[in-house]
Amino acid sequence: QVQLVESGGGLVQAGGSLRLSCVVSGLTFNNYHMGWFRQTPGNEREFTAAITWSGDSTDYVDSVAGRFTISRDNAKNMVHLQMNNLRPEDTAVYYCAAARSWPPRKRFQYDYWGQGTQVTVSS
């Protein structure tokens, strides 16, 4: 059974930082590229960041580039999203997901999803 479990969400003031983590089980982790998406009520789930299976390449949506950093630890089957200089518009539920093709900017490219973790940024 494949499981992706996110953690690290919470409430933070604008300008602050959070680090999201996702632990993966039930699949061969280093066979998958990993991504983070986010979703607000009434909106589509949108691509945020992705990292190759080896960690040697990353991809970011323009709105988070320079503020967010995605990383992975293949020994621990974990992927992280370091979020700095957070803005109120970053408020969303954040999901981690596993994909086979690169660059995985589209939802259909992902085979597995976590349940999400809420990030709320106050102004």
Side-chain angles (χ1 to χ4, degrees), residues 8-14 17-18 86 91 118-123:
L11 173 64
V12 64
Q13 288 189 327
S17 298
L18 282 175
L86 283 160
T91 295
Q118 175 71 47
V119 170
T120 303
V121 184
S122 63
S123 57

Side-chain angles (χ1 to χ4, degrees), residues 26-49:
L27 55 74
T28 304
F29 185 64
N30 60 10
N31 281 354
Y32 288 83
H33 310 306
M34 296 299 298
W36 288 93
F37 279 65
R38 61 187 182 182
Q39 188 172 23
T40 54
N43 292 308
E44 294 286 322
R45 197 171 296 186
E46 68 167 359
F47 170 77
T48 304

Side-chain angles (χ1 to χ4, degrees), residues 4-116:
L4 288 74
V5 180
E6 301 95 336
S7 62
L11 173 64
V12 64
Q13 288 189 327
S17 298
L18 282 175
R19 187 186 192 220
L20 305 184
S21 295
C22 174
V23 60
V24 180
S25 60
L27 55 74
T28 304
F29 185 64
N30 60 10
N31 281 354
Y32 288 83
H33 310 306
M34 296 299 298
W36 288 93
F37 279 65
R38 61 187 182 182
Q39 188 172 23
T40 54
N43 292 308
E44 294 286 322
R45 197 171 296 186
E46 68 167 359
F47 170 77
T48 304
I51 188 167
T52 54
W53 68 270
S54 63
D56 62 353
S57 291
T58 56
D59 188 23
Y60 299 93
V61 67
D62 287 348
S63 60
V64 309
R67 299 188 298 122
F68 290 13
T69 302
I70 188 171
S71 62
R72 66 189 293 159
D73 184 340
N74 285 352
K76 296 182 179 180
N77 284 15
M78 295 187 73
V79 60
H80 306 284
L81 187 67
Q82 177 67 43
M83 307 186 294
N84 297 331
N85 193 20
L86 283 160
R87 304 168 180 169
E89 54 265 37
D90 295 318
T91 295
V93 177
Y94 284 73
Y95 299 86
C96 72
R100 292 276 198 156
S101 60
W102 184 265
R105 283 187 163 234
K106 303 296 185 183
R107 288 184 61 183
F108 73 84
Q109 293 178 266
Y110 288 82
D111 298 324
Y112 303 102
W113 294 84
Q115 293 300 304

